[in-house]
Amino acid sequence: MNFIPVAKQNAVEVSNFEFSSLDLDIDRLLIENPSATYIGLAEGQSMVDAGIFSGDLLIISRAQQVKDGDVIVACLNGVFVVKKVDKQNNSLLPAAKGYVSYVLQPGDEFQIEGVVTQSIRLHRPLNLNIQ
């Protein structure tokens, strides 16, 4: 993988710049436990204050133990949601103004799918046929 130290470059220097080659593997860099990790695509605006925007890729680990305040992906009553977890109050919290927290109720079908360990902002949409 080629590496450009972007913060150190300006328009004058770029024409004379030589790329550095690093022994980086994006999978090894971002994914600690591949067999317990999957990638999701964020949808909606309820987590923007946590830096997660609609269209972002989410790296989700099933190997991480859920801690209070973690951003998680869960299946709530048949719908996948991305929220902060409040274990003490048994709640799911948004990270944006205008959204309300959800207190888990008896009878809710609720399963934590994993902890969001990273999010990746895409500046061009992916050409994926995900349904």
Side-chain angles (χ1 to χ4, degrees), residues 32-101:
E32 189 174 313
N33 188 337
S35 65
T37 303
Y38 60 103
I39 295 174
L41 193 60
E43 188 176 302
Q45 303 300 319
S46 70
M47 296 301 291
V48 296
D49 290 344
I52 298 173
F53 296 85
S54 195
D56 286 356
L57 288 179
L58 304 176
I59 309 297
I60 305 155
S61 173
R62 289 186 166 159
Q64 298 285 325
Q65 181 152 352
V66 178
K67 298 177 185 169
D68 203 42
D70 276 345
V71 176
I72 62 163
V73 171
C75 187
L76 175 62
N77 298 322
V79 177
F80 284 108
V81 296
V82 178
K83 300 288 182 238
K84 286 187 176 184
V85 66
D86 179 350
K87 293 175 98 176
Q88 225 171 348
N89 295 307
N90 209 29
S91 299
L92 301 175
L93 310 174
K97 292 179 176 80
Y99 292 87
V100 296
S101 50

